Amino acid sequence: MPSDHQPSKLRIAVVGAGPAGLGAAIEFQKLPFVELQIYEQAKELREVGAGISIQRNTWRMLDALGVYDNIDPRNIFRAPDGHSVQHRNGRTGELRISNRQEDTPPRHKHARALRSVLQQALLKAVDQSRLRLSSRLTKVTEVASGRLSLSFEDGFSDEVDLVVGADGVRSVVRQHAFPDHRISYTGTTAYRGLVNAQEILSIEGFPDAVTFWHGPTRWLYTCNLNNNIYEVTARTDLPEDGKTVSWGQDANIDDIRGRYDEFSPVVREVLSKVKEVKKFALFAGPRLSSVISGGGIALIGDASHSLSGAFGAGAGFALEDVYVLTQAVKWAYERDYPVRDALEIYDRVRSPHYEAMYDILDKFGQSNKAVRNAASFDEAVEITIESKWADQYGWLYHYDVQDVWKKAYEEEDARRAKKKDEVSSRL
């Protein structure tokens, strides 16, 4: 029943309708005490970019959300030999590592798909009457009632109990909650293109696999996305030019083709097949000390951890955020606790996980120094592959957030029960 802690309906605003926001909408819709609104600045929902990885942890979350079956197997690519990803020397083409998945359930094996495939799978489960497009958030204000007021560019406003910032790497919600936090260009830009699969597969010696072709400071990524579409992504170091932005811009692959002159003929021929490409400058920021603010703001997805796609599982991490946050809100409501308590336990679960990821990035930084000091192309590649891709960080994709959440709330319930007993014994 509603109490002094809780209104009859908990008003929640989800800002952003990418995978994080759509996932949050799906889960909050399931809670009968929640009144939900989703705000998205775009005029229409459409994905930009090329492909997306659906890792083991992502599939697990899609199962938890009940949308696994919304993805048609014909629209995803899984390597016939069962590998998740292969790593090759970009100069010689030699296969150095092929990450296997023997201990992964078949339904949770790694897949690649167009980003729109995941978006549509999530969108299909969302009550779209709760979605307001063309809603660019400009300001978040705390009001006397203890609620939060949201102001939008078109003059619309809303007042809610909980704001969920799912608005990406340039989050307005995060800017309000953590005004001193800054993101900056990482010095790396990704050029992403989609190519007719037959043109790629006709290249002599080309493997139909999920493949990184590594060089010392750049790589090429190639992968089948099914439906006769092949993804080609070239990620390279580029200096800041004063016009660098994080969203996709029309570009020309010729601008960076020369950076791959040391790569094998296969790689260079792949690049010759790319006719249309967009470039995405990669931005990142330091780790946040917390993924919540006050008693009414929670950050999820890229808004909570601006990692610039470092681990290729951003959608999975976002949906893990969603799962813990929505379960925490449900946990607090059922026990007649305020929303603030839900946010605190959400933060207790997710912040340490992101701290561990930033620790990995620190190790990557150390290996980058060794790469710069390498004596040759091949030595640099070996250092890169062994330090970053030898599966020592595979635990990220095997991480079971459902189990972690269960342990967290059981420990909190036990702690509170013990405290209550101690108070009772003193009376």
Side-chain angles (χ1 to χ4, degrees):
M1 295 293 291
S3 71
D4 292 339
H5 289 155
Q6 301 164 334
S8 56
K9 284 280 190 176
L10 186 68
R11 285 187 53 79
I12 297 177
V14 174
V15 181
L22 294 177
I26 291 168
E27 289 301 279
F28 279 128
Q29 285 173 185
K30 298 174 183 178
L31 304 180
F33 58 87
V34 166
E35 184 179 330
L36 177 69
Q37 188 68 48
I38 314 143
Y39 294 103
E40 167 58 42
Q41 67 177 0
K43 295 179 181 179
E44 60 178 327
L45 287 186
R46 61 184 182 88
E47 275 290 357
V48 296
I52 192 169
S53 287
I54 308 179
Q55 306 274 10
R56 173 175 174 158
N57 61 321
T58 315
W59 284 119
R60 186 187 292 116
M61 288 296 92
L62 295 176
D63 262 334
L65 270 61
V67 299
Y68 183 102
D69 292 331
N70 288 356
I71 294 181
D72 188 332
R74 293 172 297 183
N75 293 331
I76 63 174
F77 174 80
R78 283 184 167 129
D81 70 354
H83 74 265
S84 60
V85 64
Q86 293 184 348
H87 297 274
R88 293 177 179 268
N89 181 312
R91 186 185 69 82
T92 65
E94 180 186 5
L95 177 62
R96 302 302 300 129
I97 291 176
S98 182
N99 295 128
R100 313 300 299 180
Q101 303 181 89
E102 287 87 353
D103 59 345
T104 300
R107 68 186 280 108
H108 290 165
K109 287 187 181 295
H110 176 275
R112 290 287 294 179
L114 287 168
R115 296 181 66 88
S116 58
V117 169
L118 178 61
Q119 183 194 50
Q120 290 303 315
L122 295 168
L123 189 59
K124 188 176 180 180
V126 172
D127 177 359
Q128 294 186 43
S129 69
R130 305 179 187 222
L131 174 61
R132 188 177 192 270
L133 298 172
S134 300
S135 299
R136 183 184 293 275
L137 180 67
T138 57
K139 190 176 182 181
V140 182
T141 308
E142 298 176 25
V143 295
S145 64
R147 284 182 157 189
L148 293 164
S149 176
L150 304 180
S151 301
F152 296 89
E153 192 174 61
D154 64 355
F156 184 79
S157 63
D158 195 5
E159 193 172 294
V160 298
D161 303 293
L162 173 60
V163 177
V164 179
D167 47 344
V169 70
R170 293 183 178 277
S171 170
V172 176
V173 179
R174 184 182 63 224
Q175 185 178 348
H176 166 81
F178 301 95
D180 294 332
H181 186 270
R182 297 287 185 273
I183 62 170
S184 59
Y185 177 52
T186 64
T188 302
T189 294
Y191 284 69
R192 297 170 179 157
L194 300 177
V195 184
N196 181 291
Q198 292 307 310
E199 290 192 43
I200 299 296
L201 296 175
S202 66
I203 297 173
E204 185 176 354
F206 182 85
D208 188 18
V210 183
T211 309
F212 281 95
W213 307 81
H214 290 282
T217 60
R218 61 209 59 156
W219 47 251
L220 190 78
Y221 181 79
T222 56
C223 180
N224 201 326
L225 298 177
N226 276 5
N227 298 309
N228 201 34
I229 298 171
Y230 228 91
E231 172 185 0
V232 177
T233 295
R235 184 161 164 171
T236 185
D237 52 320
L238 283 178
E240 169 69 65
D241 63 3
K243 301 177 182 179
T244 306
V245 297
S246 57
W247 54 88
Q249 294 179 300
D250 290 335
N252 190 327
I253 197 68
D254 290 338
D255 294 344
I256 60 165
R257 196 187 304 276
R259 291 173 170 267
Y260 292 83
D261 285 347
E262 291 183 87
F263 282 65
S264 72
V266 168
V267 169
R268 297 199 300 274
E269 189 168 355
V270 167
L271 286 172
S272 74
K273 305 291 186 182
V274 180
K275 306 305 180 187
E276 295 183 6
V277 67
K278 287 185 178 292
K279 65 178 180 179
F280 297 79
L282 304 182
F283 281 70
R287 182 178 68 86
L288 292 168
S289 59
S290 172
V291 293
I292 63 171
S293 177
I297 293 178
L299 303 177
I300 62 175
D302 287 346
S304 73
H305 55 277
S306 48
L307 294 169
S308 73
F311 301 103
F317 301 151
L319 296 180
E320 288 172 350
D321 288 345
V322 163
Y323 180 82
V324 177
L325 177 60
T326 55
Q327 290 294 314
V329 169
K330 180 173 180 284
W331 167 85
Y333 194 90
E334 290 175 344
R335 289 158 178 76
D336 195 28
Y337 301 151
V339 173
R340 180 183 296 272
D341 289 14
L343 298 192
E344 287 177 355
I345 194 170
Y346 165 65
D347 186 53
R348 202 179 311 151
V349 172
R350 294 308 283 167
S351 279
H353 193 57
Y354 290 122
E355 183 175 10
M357 289 190 203
Y358 274 88
D359 287 344
I360 294 173
L361 292 183
D362 288 341
K363 294 176 182 176
F364 284 1
Q366 295 169 10
S367 69
N368 289 341
K369 293 179 182 178
V371 166
R372 288 194 290 270
N373 293 326
S376 66
F377 184 112
D378 293 352
E379 182 182 338
V381 167
E382 286 303 303
I383 293 171
T384 296
I385 292 176
E386 289 300 322
S387 62
K388 298 181 181 181
W389 302 101
D391 207 32
Q392 63 266 46
Y393 304 119
W395 61 268
L396 285 170
Y397 315 115
H398 291 254
Y399 178 79
D400 189 343
V401 74
Q402 292 161 292
D403 184 55
V404 174
W405 162 248
K406 183 173 184 290
K407 290 177 180 176
Y409 82 74
E410 286 178 346
E411 289 176 1
E412 181 62 12
D413 283 344
R415 185 190 69 81
R416 289 178 182 244
K418 181 180 179 181
K419 184 177 180 180
K420 184 177 180 180
D421 289 343
E422 289 173 349
V423 171
S424 296
S425 66
R426 289 197 293 268
L427 297 178

